[in-house]
Amino acid sequence: MSEYIEKILKDIKAKNQNEPEFHQAVQEVLESLEIVLQRHPEYRSLKILERMVEPERVIMFRVPWMDDQGEIQINRGYRIEMNSAIGPYKGGLRFHPSVTLGILKFLAFEQVFKNSLTTLPMGGGKGGSDFNTKGKSDNEIMRFCQSFMTELCRHIGPNTDVPAGDIGVGTREIGFLYGQYKRIRNESTGVLTGKGINWGGSLIRPEATGYGCVYFAEEMLKTKKTTFDGKVVAVSGFGNVAWGAVQKVNELGGKVVTLSGPDGYIYDPDGVKGEKVDYMLKLRSSNKDAVEDYAKEYKVKFVPSKKPWDMKVDVALPCATQNEIYEEDAKELLKNGCFCVCEGANMPTTIEAYNIFRDAKILYAPGKASNAGGVATSGLEMSQNSMRLPWSKEEVDRRLHEIMIRIHNTCITTAERFGTPGNYVNGANIAGFLKVADAMMDQGLV
Ligand code: NDP
Ligand code: 2IT
């Protein structure tokens, strides 16, 4: 690592204490950018990196709400407006008890590069709350969402900042948030994406992240002259992204043998297919935080407190959350014959685990490239909202597929151009960076 990059990292750690996920995300990107800075000293003299690691704006607010027992509860709400160089801030909202400022800053930082890769005009942002949806009634969730939006609505707008879903935020939550925005602002606009299909949403948005991830993995497999047909696949998580990924793997002839939750993982040697895929939706809406019920329902093996990385598989699609593949897991995956890891989640792989994959020269794609299909389809929802014309399922899916192929090719050509052929991490970080950096330079001291 160059002295310059080391100094930036040191300063970030000193200035943003107790935000290890943010440090991790920044370190991964900066390491990829060394070679860019050697070729383009202007980014250094104009302090582009120092500017990019500082959010344009951070909003932090109180969210008071009343539970079903009539007791007052207080949560903390956030919106990180990271970078608007190429378009309005865009990125999801996460409701999960593990949410902190540092987690949302890592996600907002990743989002800037991801959105740049989609080729659509979207800046980067992220928000959310430490609110736990688990065990809450619909009414409690509604009251929470209404209170959250009562503050957030001052800061967002269809041309300013356009939130969407993430962990713990699906169509139900987006509905409550959208309803409240409309009551306060008296405007029907595309201020949120992931909306219901009858009130401005886009077809394919619910499936988009998972589909996009598998489209990306399909391109990766093509570089090794192979396909999903007959491949055995490990998926982690059982939420929105995992659900879309499982559907598309099945469609392409692969077999998904695992799903996981915070409680452990299930192993289904016949494959998660048919009605079992619909059962995933039930699991998610049960608000129970557990995947074990799947094992009971379909009489398959449940492995408590473990991640699904110790099974014999060809492909792994981590789709649950950050830092779920550690160094030992990476070694285990390699030992079991896995040769393609394509991230549906954001930053599921630690830097040490990534180094193992890189050194083994297996196919490995970082989430900011391979899970960009979700936000790309959000961008397509924004286009449809602006035109006030909905597209068919086929039209949206075709555009999503094209975007994923384009992102894949951009990663490949950029990695090659900067001397590290086959390295999707460098390809994604460098290509994502160049567009945003050049836009910032064009716009003066922003
Ligand atoms: P969901 O809430 O639908 O599902 C998340 C899954 O991960 C659930 O199975 C959840 O279980 C599990 N999970 C959440 N937190 C933890 C934790 N701390 N430890 C273990 N398991 C956990 O979210 P999504 O499917 O939307 O998101 C999954 C990942 O994909 C995240 O990394 C997200 O940032 C990323 N992503 C999402 C996009 C989208 O459009 N939705 C787009 C791009 C990326 P439980 O809820 O029971 O805790
Ligand atoms: O991480 C992500 O890209 C998302 N959660 C989707 C963001 C969006 O605006 O659709």
Side-chain angles (χ1 to χ4, degrees):
M1 209 186 293
S2 72
E3 249 173 64
Y4 171 59
I5 298 281
E6 244 172 63
K7 169 150 193 330
I8 298 184
L9 275 174
K10 198 164 145 241
D11 289 350
I12 289 171
K13 286 180 185 164
K15 207 169 167 185
N16 306 273
Q17 287 177 23
N18 304 318
E19 297 180 2
E21 293 85 2
F22 179 56
H23 307 160
Q24 181 184 340
V26 171
Q27 182 179 335
E28 187 218 273
V29 169
L30 294 193
E31 281 177 358
S32 290
L33 295 179
E34 297 257 15
I35 179 150
V36 181
L37 295 172
Q38 283 164 19
R39 291 194 197 173
H40 297 278
E42 66 275 20
Y43 295 132
R44 181 171 171 174
S45 56
L46 290 170
K47 301 220 164 136
I48 294 289
L49 293 183
E50 291 88 333
R51 286 192 252 165
M52 279 173 87
V53 297
E54 189 67 28
E56 286 180 19
R57 192 175 297 109
V58 173
I59 302 145
M60 216 164 122
F61 51 99
R62 175 167 71 207
V63 189
W65 57 281
M66 197 171 281
D67 69 18
D68 286 346
Q69 284 69 48
E71 199 169 316
I72 292 169
Q73 303 285 346
I74 294 108
N75 285 95
R76 187 173 280 179
Y78 307 84
R79 186 72 183 164
I80 318 295
E81 298 184 332
M82 198 77 193
N83 194 305
S84 63
I86 63 170
Y89 309 106
K90 179 85 196 87
L93 296 171
R94 176 176 292 191
F95 293 168
H96 198 272
S98 62
V99 162
T100 58
L101 180 63
I103 297 247
L104 295 178
K105 276 169 68 182
F106 118 63
L107 289 162
F109 184 74
E110 292 274 295
Q111 199 80 44
V112 173
F113 300 86
K114 183 194 305 193
N115 294 3
S116 164
L117 286 169
T118 64
T119 67
L120 303 175
M122 299 183 289
K126 198 86 186 188
S129 173
D130 57 359
F131 175 70
N132 191 355
T133 56
K134 186 175 63 169
K136 300 290 189 302
S137 70
D138 280 1
N139 277 331
E140 288 176 321
I141 288 178
M142 178 180 74
R143 286 194 292 273
F144 173 82
C145 288
Q146 290 179 336
S147 179
F148 185 88
M149 184 53 88
T150 301
E151 173 59 33
L152 187 70
C153 77
R154 304 172 215 277
H155 310 286
I156 61 175
N159 297 310
T160 312
D161 185 353
V162 183
D166 192 77
I167 292 179
V169 178
T171 313
R172 174 183 55 177
E173 289 75 19
I174 293 291
F176 295 146
L177 293 163
Y178 186 67
Q180 184 73 351
Y181 182 88
K182 216 153 36 67
R183 288 175 75 194
I184 300 176
R185 301 284 289 258
N186 195 26
E187 280 174 4
S188 282
T189 62
V191 67
L192 293 168
T193 61
K195 299 187 289 302
I197 205 63
N198 293 326
W199 36 280
S202 174
L203 289 163
I204 302 289
R205 177 63 187 89
E207 294 86 350
T209 313
Y211 275 23
C213 175
V214 176
Y215 287 146
F216 196 99
E218 194 184 19
E219 294 306 304
M220 297 168 82
L221 294 177
K222 273 188 200 164
T223 67
K224 300 281 176 215
K225 305 212 175 347
T226 186
T227 67
F228 263 104
D229 199 27
K231 296 285 181 301
V232 179
V233 181
V235 168
S236 66
F238 62 92
N240 171 260
V241 178
W243 168 75
V246 170
Q247 286 182 58
K248 194 48 86 179
V249 169
N250 285 331
E251 228 177 86
L252 297 179
K255 184 166 78 169
V256 174
V257 294
T258 67
L259 297 174
S260 72
D263 55 331
Y265 78 88
I266 62 98
Y267 178 69
D268 185 346
D270 292 335
V272 181
K273 57 184 183 215
E275 64 160 278
K276 296 175 191 167
V277 183
D278 302 328
Y279 186 76
M280 290 177 73
L281 293 177
K282 256 198 223 159
L283 266 185
R284 184 169 180 247
S285 60
S286 71
N287 275 354
K288 262 177 67 181
D289 210 12
V291 80
E292 189 179 1
D293 284 355
Y294 181 104
K296 289 188 185 141
E297 182 79 15
Y298 296 108
K299 316 234 170 336
V300 299
K301 187 162 116 182
F302 172 67
V303 185
S305 315
K306 283 204 79 179
K307 303 248 162 38
W309 313 129
D310 54 358
M311 286 288 155
K312 212 170 160 35
V313 295
D314 304 301
V315 178
L317 306 176
C319 295
T321 191
Q322 65 276 354
N323 292 334
E324 50 162 341
I325 300 183
Y326 288 88
E327 200 173 345
E328 319 72 88
D329 304 313
K331 287 183 185 154
E332 194 74 30
L333 278 164
L334 290 181
K335 204 175 82 197
N336 283 308
C338 177
F339 68 95
C340 176
V341 179
C342 186
E343 297 182 347
N346 286 307
M347 207 170 73
T349 308
T350 63
I351 291 184
E352 296 75 24
Y354 158 59
N355 290 338
I356 302 264
F357 294 146
R358 186 198 53 203
D359 295 347
K361 294 201 181 327
I362 65 157
L363 297 168
Y364 166 75
K368 62 169 78 69
S370 49
N371 75 31
V375 74
T377 307
S378 278
L380 300 177
E381 183 172 330
M382 289 165 75
S383 307
Q384 295 169 76
N385 291 161
S386 300
M387 291 189 302
R388 301 193 187 285
L389 270 182
W391 285 326
S392 68
K393 212 166 150 173
E394 293 72 27
E395 172 80 13
V396 180
D397 194 26
R398 182 183 61 74
R399 287 177 187 265
L400 165 65
H401 198 166
E402 273 173 11
I403 290 171
M404 296 315 297
I405 293 176
R406 221 179 298 148
I407 298 175
H408 177 271
N409 293 346
T410 301
C411 290
I412 290 283
T413 51
T414 309
E416 210 163 283
R417 182 150 67 94
F418 285 88
T420 52
N423 186 321
Y424 288 91
V425 173
N426 286 349
N429 287 337
I430 296 173
F433 168 80
L434 288 174
K435 183 171 166 189
V436 176
D438 290 345
M440 288 174 74
M441 295 213 295
D442 290 344
Q443 291 169 26
L445 191 48
V446 292

